[in-house]
Amino acid sequence: MELLDELLMLYTLLAIGALVGMLALIARFYQLRSGEQSRYRLFLVPLGLFALGGLYQALTIGIPGDDPVDDALLFLGGASLFGLCYLVLHLMTRKR
């Protein structure tokens, strides 16, 4: 059962990584088409934080919400992703 929990956690992190990658590609496409800086390379920061948090959680066989280190890494990844998505949203929807 423990192995199944770890595999499901890693599968979830891979899905999150794919979504972050798609958001980065959207930001890159917008930058190429509009000529405005979308800072799409900064999407590597939340991707790395999610990966570190997930690996730490998988290696320590932690329960989500149990260890403050992996919770902090996942929180910082989510907060930075939120900020970057808001930046791209603002770039794409502001009036010209």
Side-chain angles (χ1 to χ4, degrees), residues 21-90:
M22 290 297 295
L23 289 170
L25 288 175
I26 290 169
R28 182 177 180 265
F29 176 79
Y30 181 75
Q31 180 175 325
L32 291 175
R33 294 294 175 210
S34 71
E36 296 181 54
Q37 290 293 322
S38 66
R39 297 177 179 84
Y40 67 91
R41 289 184 184 109
L42 287 178
F43 278 92
L44 290 174
V45 172
L47 189 62
L49 288 170
F50 281 133
L52 285 175
L55 286 175
Y56 184 81
Q57 195 174 44
L59 293 176
T60 60
I61 310 168
I63 301 168
D66 189 30
D67 191 9
V69 174
D70 62 345
D71 290 340
L73 288 170
L74 294 174
F75 174 78
L76 289 173
S80 62
L81 181 62
F82 179 79
L84 287 170
C85 287
Y86 183 77
L87 171 76
V88 172
L89 174 72
H90 181 69

